[in-house]
Amino acid sequence: MDRHLHQEQMNKSLILVSLMFLIVCLSFRGISEKRDINVSIYPTFNNEKLILNTHQYITAQKDTLSITTFKFYISNITLEFEDGTIYKESKSQHLIDLEIEKKLKFQLKDISNKNISKVMFTIGIDSLTNVSGNLEGDLDPAFGMYWAWNSGYINMKLEGKSSSCTSLKKNFQYHIGGYLPKQNASQMITLHINRKNAPIVIQTDVAKWLNKVALKDTPSIMIPGPKAIAMSNWYKEMFSLYDEE
């Protein structure tokens, strides 16, 4: 009888050890199925690398210009996988600034190893974040992308110089934003991924925006409103996935 009881206890112990081993294996498998994804922004002008201050560019409107400032917000990043499941980044606000190299890249953490079919994001800051009072990190007003509580954040800022401009210093300035009803200039972008398990490189070709702008007629937009919304509809066309191949 004791011998039978001893054997039964050994069997139970063996089952327990096996279960623990299986749990550990599944845990490691779960870890291995997660990854961090690097996201980088590649600003260009007519598919050539965009360089501030020193380079001149020509638009389809025959405007010759140089760009001195180019920065904007990417927020609410969502990934859609081939099986239809979704990943949404929490606290998703990233300031992109061509003048600061480290502001041209960021990481998405703990992403499933499944193939991604779409990348979706907002250009700008949504209304909820605008009124949340969170002025930290990339939302810090010290970055020069915040107007005031009633106007909110600047979604997109582009500044430069052109002989086409009629101002004394030949400047053009586009500070595009607005989150209140009838002033909302945020834009949703959806990009389809063809290459699998590769870093995400988002190209922003400023030529696709400025080709639609006559600088002599519209050298400046600095407040929310219909003109800012119209401009945001133009610049949303400059976003695409960059493929080095």
mmCIF file of all heavy atoms in Angstrom, residues 91-140:
data_model
loop_
_atom_site.group_PDB
_atom_site.id
_atom_site.type_symbol
_atom_site.label_atom_id
_atom_site.label_comp_id
_atom_site.label_asym_id
_atom_site.label_seq_id
_atom_site.Cartn_x
_atom_site.Cartn_y
_atom_site.Cartn_z
ATOM 1 N N LYS A 91 -0.091 56.591 -25.267
ATOM 2 C CA LYS A 91 0.613 57.868 -25.141
ATOM 3 C C LYS A 91 1.366 58.177 -26.440
ATOM 4 O O LYS A 91 2.574 58.414 -26.444
ATOM 5 C CB LYS A 91 1.566 57.851 -23.950
ATOM 6 C CG LYS A 91 0.868 57.646 -22.610
ATOM 7 C CD LYS A 91 1.847 57.629 -21.459
ATOM 8 C CE LYS A 91 1.119 57.418 -20.139
ATOM 9 N NZ LYS A 91 2.063 57.368 -18.992
ATOM 10 N N SER A 92 0.638 58.163 -27.514
ATOM 11 C CA SER A 92 1.222 58.179 -28.856
ATOM 12 C C SER A 92 1.285 59.596 -29.415
ATOM 13 O O SER A 92 0.394 60.037 -30.146
ATOM 14 C CB SER A 92 0.396 57.271 -29.784
ATOM 15 O OG SER A 92 0.986 57.174 -31.049
ATOM 16 N N GLN A 93 2.339 60.313 -29.056
ATOM 17 C CA GLN A 93 2.610 61.630 -29.646
ATOM 18 C C GLN A 93 4.114 61.738 -29.884
ATOM 19 O O GLN A 93 4.907 61.593 -28.947
ATOM 20 C CB GLN A 93 2.152 62.774 -28.741
ATOM 21 C CG GLN A 93 0.667 62.793 -28.427
ATOM 22 C CD GLN A 93 0.337 62.110 -27.121
ATOM 23 O OE1 GLN A 93 1.161 62.049 -26.216
ATOM 24 N NE2 GLN A 93 -0.872 61.604 -27.004
ATOM 25 N N HIS A 94 4.505 61.990 -31.121
ATOM 26 C CA HIS A 94 5.919 62.086 -31.477
ATOM 27 C C HIS A 94 6.160 63.371 -32.263
ATOM 28 O O HIS A 94 5.529 63.600 -33.296
ATOM 29 C CB HIS A 94 6.347 60.888 -32.323
ATOM 30 C CG HIS A 94 6.138 59.565 -31.648
ATOM 31 N ND1 HIS A 94 7.045 59.035 -30.743
ATOM 32 C CD2 HIS A 94 5.111 58.671 -31.736
ATOM 33 C CE1 HIS A 94 6.597 57.862 -30.316
ATOM 34 N NE2 HIS A 94 5.426 57.627 -30.889
ATOM 35 N N LEU A 95 7.064 64.201 -31.744
ATOM 36 C CA LEU A 95 7.448 65.412 -32.465
ATOM 37 C C LEU A 95 8.555 65.074 -33.444
ATOM 38 O O LEU A 95 9.596 64.528 -33.072
ATOM 39 C CB LEU A 95 7.931 66.485 -31.488
ATOM 40 C CG LEU A 95 8.456 67.773 -32.136
ATOM 41 C CD1 LEU A 95 7.362 68.466 -32.938
ATOM 42 C CD2 LEU A 95 9.030 68.711 -31.084
ATOM 43 N N ILE A 96 8.338 65.388 -34.706
ATOM 44 C CA ILE A 96 9.333 65.191 -35.757
ATOM 45 C C ILE A 96 9.932 66.555 -36.091
ATOM 46 O O ILE A 96 9.204 67.505 -36.374
ATOM 47 C CB ILE A 96 8.688 64.573 -37.016
ATOM 48 C CG1 ILE A 96 7.878 63.312 -36.667
ATOM 49 C CG2 ILE A 96 9.747 64.290 -38.059
ATOM 50 C CD1 ILE A 96 8.669 62.220 -35.977
ATOM 51 N N ASP A 97 11.261 66.646 -36.043
ATOM 52 C CA ASP A 97 11.930 67.924 -36.273
ATOM 53 C C ASP A 97 13.196 67.671 -37.092
ATOM 54 O O ASP A 97 14.135 67.028 -36.621
ATOM 55 C CB ASP A 97 12.282 68.580 -34.936
ATOM 56 C CG ASP A 97 12.823 70.002 -35.086
ATOM 57 O OD1 ASP A 97 13.176 70.392 -36.212
ATOM 58 O OD2 ASP A 97 12.884 70.727 -34.073
ATOM 59 N N LEU A 98 13.214 68.174 -38.315
ATOM 60 C CA LEU A 98 14.347 67.943 -39.204
ATOM 61 C C LEU A 98 15.642 68.525 -38.648
ATOM 62 O O LEU A 98 16.737 68.073 -38.971
ATOM 63 C CB LEU A 98 14.053 68.523 -40.592
ATOM 64 C CG LEU A 98 15.110 68.322 -41.678
ATOM 65 C CD1 LEU A 98 15.514 66.857 -41.810
ATOM 66 C CD2 LEU A 98 14.610 68.857 -43.011
ATOM 67 N N GLU A 99 15.535 69.531 -37.809
ATOM 68 C CA GLU A 99 16.723 70.181 -37.259
ATOM 69 C C GLU A 99 17.395 69.338 -36.171
ATOM 70 O O GLU A 99 18.560 69.553 -35.849
ATOM 71 C CB GLU A 99 16.343 71.557 -36.696
ATOM 72 C CG GLU A 99 17.516 72.484 -36.495
ATOM 73 C CD GLU A 99 17.077 73.911 -36.203
ATOM 74 O OE1 GLU A 99 15.889 74.134 -35.921
ATOM 75 O OE2 GLU A 99 17.933 74.798 -36.269
ATOM 76 N N ILE A 100 16.656 68.385 -35.591
ATOM 77 C CA ILE A 100 17.180 67.558 -34.503
ATOM 78 C C ILE A 100 17.157 66.105 -34.964
ATOM 79 O O ILE A 100 16.089 65.504 -35.093
ATOM 80 C CB ILE A 100 16.335 67.728 -33.221
ATOM 81 C CG1 ILE A 100 16.267 69.206 -32.823
ATOM 82 C CG2 ILE A 100 16.928 66.905 -32.078
ATOM 83 C CD1 ILE A 100 15.316 69.492 -31.677
ATOM 84 N N GLU A 101 18.326 65.526 -35.206
ATOM 85 C CA GLU A 101 18.399 64.199 -35.822
ATOM 86 C C GLU A 101 17.652 63.143 -35.020
ATOM 87 O O GLU A 101 16.960 62.297 -35.592
ATOM 88 C CB GLU A 101 19.860 63.783 -35.993
ATOM 89 C CG GLU A 101 20.031 62.478 -36.748
ATOM 90 C CD GLU A 101 21.478 62.139 -37.032
ATOM 91 O OE1 GLU A 101 22.354 62.984 -36.756
ATOM 92 O OE2 GLU A 101 21.734 61.025 -37.527
ATOM 93 N N LYS A 102 17.764 63.172 -33.695
ATOM 94 C CA LYS A 102 17.104 62.155 -32.874
ATOM 95 C C LYS A 102 15.590 62.277 -32.917
ATOM 96 O O LYS A 102 14.871 61.346 -32.516
ATOM 97 C CB LYS A 102 17.602 62.208 -31.436
ATOM 98 C CG LYS A 102 17.212 63.456 -30.664
ATOM 99 C CD LYS A 102 17.737 63.396 -29.231
ATOM 100 C CE LYS A 102 17.314 64.619 -28.425
ATOM 101 N NZ LYS A 102 17.816 64.556 -27.031
ATOM 102 N N LYS A 103 15.088 63.403 -33.407
ATOM 103 C CA LYS A 103 13.647 63.603 -33.540
ATOM 104 C C LYS A 103 13.118 63.090 -34.876
ATOM 105 O O LYS A 103 11.959 63.329 -35.225
ATOM 106 C CB LYS A 103 13.288 65.086 -33.388
ATOM 107 C CG LYS A 103 13.452 65.640 -31.993
ATOM 108 C CD LYS A 103 12.453 65.038 -31.026
ATOM 109 C CE LYS A 103 12.540 65.665 -29.653
ATOM 110 N NZ LYS A 103 11.655 64.967 -28.675
ATOM 111 N N LEU A 104 13.947 62.374 -35.610
ATOM 112 C CA LEU A 104 13.496 61.781 -36.875
ATOM 113 C C LEU A 104 13.275 60.283 -36.735
ATOM 114 O O LEU A 104 13.065 59.586 -37.741
ATOM 115 C CB LEU A 104 14.529 62.039 -37.975
ATOM 116 C CG LEU A 104 14.716 63.501 -38.398
ATOM 117 C CD1 LEU A 104 15.842 63.622 -39.420
ATOM 118 C CD2 LEU A 104 13.421 64.089 -38.956
ATOM 119 N N LYS A 105 13.302 59.757 -35.505
ATOM 120 C CA LYS A 105 13.098 58.318 -35.310
ATOM 121 C C LYS A 105 12.564 58.036 -33.913
ATOM 122 O O LYS A 105 12.788 58.802 -32.985
ATOM 123 C CB LYS A 105 14.410 57.554 -35.551
ATOM 124 C CG LYS A 105 15.587 58.082 -34.773
ATOM 125 C CD LYS A 105 16.885 57.465 -35.286
ATOM 126 C CE LYS A 105 18.099 58.121 -34.616
ATOM 127 N NZ LYS A 105 19.374 57.603 -35.158
ATOM 128 N N PHE A 106 11.847 56.938 -33.801
ATOM 129 C CA PHE A 106 11.339 56.472 -32.519
ATOM 130 C C PHE A 106 11.049 54.990 -32.626
ATOM 131 O O PHE A 106 11.163 54.390 -33.709
ATOM 132 C CB PHE A 106 10.080 57.251 -32.104
ATOM 133 C CG PHE A 106 8.980 57.272 -33.125
ATOM 134 C CD1 PHE A 106 8.019 56.277 -33.153
ATOM 135 C CD2 PHE A 106 8.885 58.289 -34.056
ATOM 136 C CE1 PHE A 106 6.996 56.280 -34.089
ATOM 137 C CE2 PHE A 106 7.866 58.317 -35.000
ATOM 138 C CZ PHE A 106 6.924 57.305 -35.008
ATOM 139 N N GLN A 107 10.706 54.365 -31.492
ATOM 140 C CA GLN A 107 10.443 52.926 -31.462
ATOM 141 C C GLN A 107 9.022 52.642 -31.014
ATOM 142 O O GLN A 107 8.485 53.328 -30.143
ATOM 143 C CB GLN A 107 11.407 52.215 -30.505
ATOM 144 C CG GLN A 107 12.651 51.681 -31.146
ATOM 145 C CD GLN A 107 13.396 50.707 -30.244
ATOM 146 O OE1 GLN A 107 13.185 50.651 -29.039
ATOM 147 N NE2 GLN A 107 14.269 49.909 -30.838
ATOM 148 N N LEU A 108 8.423 51.621 -31.626
ATOM 149 C CA LEU A 108 7.168 51.045 -31.147
ATOM 150 C C LEU A 108 7.529 49.773 -30.391
ATOM 151 O O LEU A 108 8.211 48.901 -30.920
ATOM 152 C CB LEU A 108 6.238 50.729 -32.315
ATOM 153 C CG LEU A 108 5.863 51.918 -33.213
ATOM 154 C CD1 LEU A 108 4.990 51.451 -34.373
ATOM 155 C CD2 LEU A 108 5.145 53.002 -32.414
ATOM 156 N N LYS A 109 7.067 49.666 -29.132
ATOM 157 C CA LYS A 109 7.510 48.605 -28.234
ATOM 158 C C LYS A 109 6.538 47.425 -28.210
ATOM 159 O O LYS A 109 5.322 47.597 -28.307
ATOM 160 C CB LYS A 109 7.647 49.156 -26.811
ATOM 161 C CG LYS A 109 8.651 50.301 -26.670
ATOM 162 C CD LYS A 109 10.063 49.783 -26.741
ATOM 163 C CE LYS A 109 11.068 50.866 -26.381
ATOM 164 N NZ LYS A 109 12.456 50.361 -26.409
ATOM 165 N N ASP A 110 7.129 46.232 -28.033
ATOM 166 C CA ASP A 110 6.376 44.990 -27.783
ATOM 167 C C ASP A 110 5.312 44.744 -28.858
ATOM 168 O O ASP A 110 4.121 44.585 -28.566
ATOM 169 C CB ASP A 110 5.715 45.026 -26.398
ATOM 170 C CG ASP A 110 6.743 45.086 -25.281
ATOM 171 O OD1 ASP A 110 7.825 44.477 -25.434
ATOM 172 O OD2 ASP A 110 6.471 45.740 -24.256
ATOM 173 N N ILE A 111 5.754 44.675 -30.083
ATOM 174 C CA ILE A 111 4.867 44.443 -31.225
ATOM 175 C C ILE A 111 4.870 42.960 -31.569
ATOM 176 O O ILE A 111 5.911 42.303 -31.539
ATOM 177 C CB ILE A 111 5.329 45.249 -32.447
ATOM 178 C CG1 ILE A 111 5.551 46.723 -32.072
ATOM 179 C CG2 ILE A 111 4.311 45.144 -33.581
ATOM 180 C CD1 ILE A 111 4.344 47.411 -31.545
ATOM 181 N N SER A 112 3.716 42.430 -31.922
ATOM 182 C CA SER A 112 3.619 41.035 -32.348
ATOM 183 C C SER A 112 4.495 40.791 -33.567
ATOM 184 O O SER A 112 4.699 41.681 -34.399
ATOM 185 C CB SER A 112 2.160 40.697 -32.682
ATOM 186 O OG SER A 112 2.077 39.450 -33.345
ATOM 187 N N ASN A 113 5.014 39.553 -33.670
ATOM 188 C CA ASN A 113 5.846 39.175 -34.810
ATOM 189 C C ASN A 113 5.040 38.939 -36.087
ATOM 190 O O ASN A 113 5.615 38.619 -37.127
ATOM 191 C CB ASN A 113 6.644 37.908 -34.479
ATOM 192 C CG ASN A 113 8.114 38.227 -34.254
ATOM 193 O OD1 ASN A 113 8.628 39.205 -34.779
ATOM 194 N ND2 ASN A 113 8.787 37.418 -33.468
ATOM 195 N N LYS A 114 3.742 39.089 -36.012
ATOM 196 C CA LYS A 114 2.907 38.876 -37.196
ATOM 197 C C LYS A 114 3.192 39.944 -38.250
ATOM 198 O O LYS A 114 3.635 41.042 -37.938
ATOM 199 C CB LYS A 114 1.427 38.907 -36.791
ATOM 200 C CG LYS A 114 1.005 37.776 -35.882
ATOM 201 C CD LYS A 114 -0.461 37.852 -35.500
ATOM 202 C CE LYS A 114 -0.762 39.004 -34.585
ATOM 203 N NZ LYS A 114 -2.155 38.979 -34.064
ATOM 204 N N ASN A 115 2.952 39.604 -39.493
ATOM 205 C CA ASN A 115 3.179 40.539 -40.587
ATOM 206 C C ASN A 115 2.216 41.722 -40.510
ATOM 207 O O ASN A 115 1.012 41.551 -40.294
ATOM 208 C CB ASN A 115 3.020 39.845 -41.937
ATOM 209 C CG ASN A 115 4.186 38.933 -42.265
ATOM 210 O OD1 ASN A 115 5.305 39.138 -41.793
ATOM 211 N ND2 ASN A 115 3.933 37.919 -43.074
ATOM 212 N N ILE A 116 2.752 42.910 -40.705
ATOM 213 C CA ILE A 116 1.955 44.137 -40.669
ATOM 214 C C ILE A 116 1.461 44.448 -42.079
ATOM 215 O O ILE A 116 2.221 44.367 -43.049
ATOM 216 C CB ILE A 116 2.794 45.314 -40.145
ATOM 217 C CG1 ILE A 116 3.322 44.992 -38.742
ATOM 218 C CG2 ILE A 116 1.980 46.598 -40.116
ATOM 219 C CD1 ILE A 116 4.371 45.973 -38.254
ATOM 220 N N SER A 117 0.193 44.805 -42.200
ATOM 221 C CA SER A 117 -0.359 45.155 -43.512
ATOM 222 C C SER A 117 -0.565 46.660 -43.677
ATOM 223 O O SER A 117 -0.503 47.178 -44.795
ATOM 224 C CB SER A 117 -1.692 44.439 -43.746
ATOM 225 O OG SER A 117 -2.642 44.806 -42.766
ATOM 226 N N LYS A 118 -0.797 47.377 -42.563
ATOM 227 C CA LYS A 118 -1.053 48.813 -42.648
ATOM 228 C C LYS A 118 -0.421 49.543 -41.463
ATOM 229 O O LYS A 118 -0.363 49.007 -40.364
ATOM 230 C CB LYS A 118 -2.554 49.122 -42.642
ATOM 231 C CG LYS A 118 -3.342 48.604 -43.818
ATOM 232 C CD LYS A 118 -4.820 48.948 -43.646
ATOM 233 C CE LYS A 118 -5.678 48.307 -44.716
ATOM 234 N NZ LYS A 118 -7.121 48.575 -44.487
ATOM 235 N N VAL A 119 0.015 50.762 -41.719
ATOM 236 C CA VAL A 119 0.419 51.697 -40.678
ATOM 237 C C VAL A 119 -0.523 52.893 -40.773
ATOM 238 O O VAL A 119 -0.673 53.476 -41.848
ATOM 239 C CB VAL A 119 1.869 52.174 -40.856
ATOM 240 C CG1 VAL A 119 2.261 53.137 -39.748
ATOM 241 C CG2 VAL A 119 2.818 50.995 -40.890
ATOM 242 N N MET A 120 -1.153 53.244 -39.661
ATOM 243 C CA MET A 120 -2.079 54.368 -39.640
ATOM 244 C C MET A 120 -1.669 55.341 -38.538
ATOM 245 O O MET A 120 -1.264 54.905 -37.453
ATOM 246 C CB MET A 120 -3.508 53.869 -39.417
ATOM 247 C CG MET A 120 -4.027 53.006 -40.554
ATOM 248 S SD MET A 120 -5.498 52.022 -40.123
ATOM 249 C CE MET A 120 -4.756 50.660 -39.217
ATOM 250 N N PHE A 121 -1.769 56.628 -38.806
ATOM 251 C CA PHE A 121 -1.406 57.625 -37.803
ATOM 252 C C PHE A 121 -2.064 58.954 -38.141
ATOM 253 O O PHE A 121 -2.564 59.163 -39.261
ATOM 254 C CB PHE A 121 0.114 57.786 -37.700
ATOM 255 C CG PHE A 121 0.816 58.046 -39.011
ATOM 256 C CD1 PHE A 121 0.978 59.344 -39.484
ATOM 257 C CD2 PHE A 121 1.311 56.994 -39.773
ATOM 258 C CE1 PHE A 121 1.623 59.582 -40.677
ATOM 259 C CE2 PHE A 121 1.957 57.218 -40.988
ATOM 260 C CZ PHE A 121 2.114 58.521 -41.434
ATOM 261 N N THR A 122 -2.041 59.849 -37.171
ATOM 262 C CA THR A 122 -2.590 61.194 -37.344
ATOM 263 C C THR A 122 -1.452 62.184 -37.475
ATOM 264 O O THR A 122 -0.452 62.093 -36.762
ATOM 265 C CB THR A 122 -3.466 61.577 -36.136
ATOM 266 O OG1 THR A 122 -4.549 60.645 -36.028
ATOM 267 C CG2 THR A 122 -4.036 62.979 -36.284
ATOM 268 N N ILE A 123 -1.592 63.118 -38.398
ATOM 269 C CA ILE A 123 -0.680 64.242 -38.457
ATOM 270 C C ILE A 123 -1.303 65.355 -37.618
ATOM 271 O O ILE A 123 -2.301 65.955 -38.004
ATOM 272 C CB ILE A 123 -0.449 64.726 -39.901
ATOM 273 C CG1 ILE A 123 0.157 63.611 -40.741
ATOM 274 C CG2 ILE A 123 0.470 65.944 -39.911
ATOM 275 C CD1 ILE A 123 1.471 63.075 -40.215
ATOM 276 N N GLY A 124 -0.717 65.574 -36.455
ATOM 277 C CA GLY A 124 -1.257 66.562 -35.534
ATOM 278 C C GLY A 124 -1.612 65.952 -34.192
ATOM 279 O O GLY A 124 -1.335 64.781 -33.925
ATOM 280 N N ILE A 125 -2.229 66.752 -33.362
ATOM 281 C CA ILE A 125 -2.615 66.366 -32.004
ATOM 282 C C ILE A 125 -4.127 66.411 -31.900
ATOM 283 O O ILE A 125 -4.758 67.407 -32.267
ATOM 284 C CB ILE A 125 -1.983 67.318 -30.969
ATOM 285 C CG1 ILE A 125 -0.451 67.275 -31.060
ATOM 286 C CG2 ILE A 125 -2.436 66.975 -29.568
ATOM 287 C CD1 ILE A 125 0.158 65.920 -30.774
ATOM 288 N N ASP A 126 -4.726 65.321 -31.407
ATOM 289 C CA ASP A 126 -6.192 65.247 -31.351
ATOM 290 C C ASP A 126 -6.761 66.178 -30.280
ATOM 291 O O ASP A 126 -6.045 66.699 -29.422
ATOM 292 C CB ASP A 126 -6.652 63.805 -31.134
ATOM 293 C CG ASP A 126 -6.129 63.201 -29.844
ATOM 294 O OD1 ASP A 126 -6.145 63.879 -28.799
ATOM 295 O OD2 ASP A 126 -5.702 62.027 -29.868
ATOM 296 N N SER A 127 -8.070 66.388 -30.345
ATOM 297 C CA SER A 127 -8.727 67.352 -29.456
ATOM 298 C C SER A 127 -8.612 66.960 -27.986
ATOM 299 O O SER A 127 -8.434 67.816 -27.114
ATOM 300 C CB SER A 127 -10.199 67.506 -29.852
ATOM 301 O OG SER A 127 -10.863 66.252 -29.811
ATOM 302 N N LEU A 128 -8.691 65.655 -27.686
ATOM 303 C CA LEU A 128 -8.599 65.207 -26.299
ATOM 304 C C LEU A 128 -7.248 65.553 -25.696
ATOM 305 O O LEU A 128 -7.161 66.053 -24.571
ATOM 306 C CB LEU A 128 -8.846 63.694 -26.221
ATOM 307 C CG LEU A 128 -8.865 63.085 -24.816
ATOM 308 C CD1 LEU A 128 -9.972 63.704 -23.981
ATOM 309 C CD2 LEU A 128 -9.038 61.568 -24.887
ATOM 310 N N THR A 129 -6.177 65.310 -26.450
ATOM 311 C CA THR A 129 -4.832 65.633 -25.954
ATOM 312 C C THR A 129 -4.658 67.141 -25.844
ATOM 313 O O THR A 129 -4.005 67.644 -24.910
ATOM 314 C CB THR A 129 -3.759 65.040 -26.881
ATOM 315 O OG1 THR A 129 -3.969 63.629 -26.998
ATOM 316 C CG2 THR A 129 -2.366 65.288 -26.334
ATOM 317 N N ASN A 130 -5.257 67.900 -26.757
ATOM 318 C CA ASN A 130 -5.143 69.359 -26.728
ATOM 319 C C ASN A 130 -5.703 69.947 -25.440
ATOM 320 O O ASN A 130 -5.199 70.971 -24.965
ATOM 321 C CB ASN A 130 -5.861 69.970 -27.932
ATOM 322 C CG ASN A 130 -4.928 70.234 -29.104
ATOM 323 O OD1 ASN A 130 -4.074 71.111 -29.040
ATOM 324 N ND2 ASN A 130 -5.067 69.468 -30.171
ATOM 325 N N VAL A 131 -6.726 69.335 -24.893
ATOM 326 C CA VAL A 131 -7.354 69.892 -23.686
ATOM 327 C C VAL A 131 -6.975 69.140 -22.421
ATOM 328 O O VAL A 131 -7.464 69.452 -21.332
ATOM 329 C CB VAL A 131 -8.905 69.900 -23.836
ATOM 330 C CG1 VAL A 131 -9.325 70.732 -25.025
ATOM 331 C CG2 VAL A 131 -9.463 68.477 -23.957
ATOM 332 N N SER A 132 -6.066 68.165 -22.520
ATOM 333 C CA SER A 132 -5.726 67.321 -21.363
ATOM 334 C C SER A 132 -4.828 68.026 -20.352
ATOM 335 O O SER A 132 -4.735 67.607 -19.195
ATOM 336 C CB SER A 132 -5.038 66.037 -21.842
ATOM 337 O OG SER A 132 -3.748 66.324 -22.368
ATOM 338 N N GLY A 133 -4.145 69.070 -20.787
ATOM 339 C CA GLY A 133 -3.215 69.745 -19.882
ATOM 340 C C GLY A 133 -1.868 69.062 -19.772
ATOM 341 O O GLY A 133 -1.022 69.467 -18.972
ATOM 342 N N ASN A 134 -1.645 68.014 -20.569
ATOM 343 C CA ASN A 134 -0.357 67.311 -20.561
ATOM 344 C C ASN A 134 0.637 68.073 -21.430
ATOM 345 O O ASN A 134 0.570 68.048 -22.653
ATOM 346 C CB ASN A 134 -0.530 65.884 -21.086
ATOM 347 C CG ASN A 134 0.787 65.138 -21.152
ATOM 348 O OD1 ASN A 134 1.773 65.519 -20.525
ATOM 349 N ND2 ASN A 134 0.814 64.049 -21.904
ATOM 350 N N LEU A 135 1.558 68.770 -20.796
ATOM 351 C CA LEU A 135 2.524 69.599 -21.521
ATOM 352 C C LEU A 135 3.942 69.075 -21.311
ATOM 353 O O LEU A 135 4.890 69.846 -21.179
ATOM 354 C CB LEU A 135 2.420 71.054 -21.056
ATOM 355 C CG LEU A 135 1.041 71.723 -21.189
ATOM 356 C CD1 LEU A 135 1.056 73.125 -20.610
ATOM 357 C CD2 LEU A 135 0.587 71.745 -22.641
ATOM 358 N N GLU A 136 4.071 67.748 -21.285
ATOM 359 C CA GLU A 136 5.376 67.139 -21.017
ATOM 360 C C GLU A 136 5.894 66.394 -22.240
ATOM 361 O O GLU A 136 5.159 66.158 -23.206
ATOM 362 C CB GLU A 136 5.261 66.168 -19.830
ATOM 363 C CG GLU A 136 4.826 66.841 -18.529
ATOM 364 C CD GLU A 136 4.657 65.842 -17.397
ATOM 365 O OE1 GLU A 136 4.614 64.628 -17.689
ATOM 366 O OE2 GLU A 136 4.587 66.279 -16.236
ATOM 367 N N GLY A 137 7.172 65.990 -22.187
ATOM 368 C CA GLY A 137 7.776 65.216 -23.267
ATOM 369 C C GLY A 137 7.733 65.981 -24.577
ATOM 370 O O GLY A 137 8.045 67.184 -24.624
ATOM 371 N N ASP A 138 7.322 65.315 -25.640
ATOM 372 C CA ASP A 138 7.252 65.964 -26.950
ATOM 373 C C ASP A 138 6.148 67.016 -27.025
ATOM 374 O O ASP A 138 6.084 67.776 -28.002
ATOM 375 C CB ASP A 138 7.037 64.911 -28.048
ATOM 376 C CG ASP A 138 8.345 64.262 -28.475
ATOM 377 O OD1 ASP A 138 9.410 64.616 -27.920
ATOM 378 O OD2 ASP A 138 8.321 63.393 -29.366
ATOM 379 N N LEU A 139 5.293 67.064 -26.010
ATOM 380 C CA LEU A 139 4.228 68.068 -25.976
ATOM 381 C C LEU A 139 4.646 69.342 -25.240
ATOM 382 O O LEU A 139 3.846 70.260 -25.080
ATOM 383 C CB LEU A 139 2.976 67.476 -25.307
ATOM 384 C CG LEU A 139 2.328 66.289 -26.030
ATOM 385 C CD1 LEU A 139 1.175 65.732 -25.197
ATOM 386 C CD2 LEU A 139 1.833 66.679 -27.412
ATOM 387 N N ASP A 140 5.885 69.407 -24.808
ATOM 388 C CA ASP A 140 6.389 70.569 -24.081
ATOM 389 C C ASP A 140 6.331 71.810 -24.984
ATOM 390 O O ASP A 140 6.863 71.798 -26.102
ATOM 391 C CB ASP A 140 7.835 70.305 -23.648
ATOM 392 C CG ASP A 140 8.345 71.337 -22.647
ATOM 393 O OD1 ASP A 140 7.958 72.511 -22.748
ATOM 394 O OD2 ASP A 140 9.149 70.957 -21.771
#
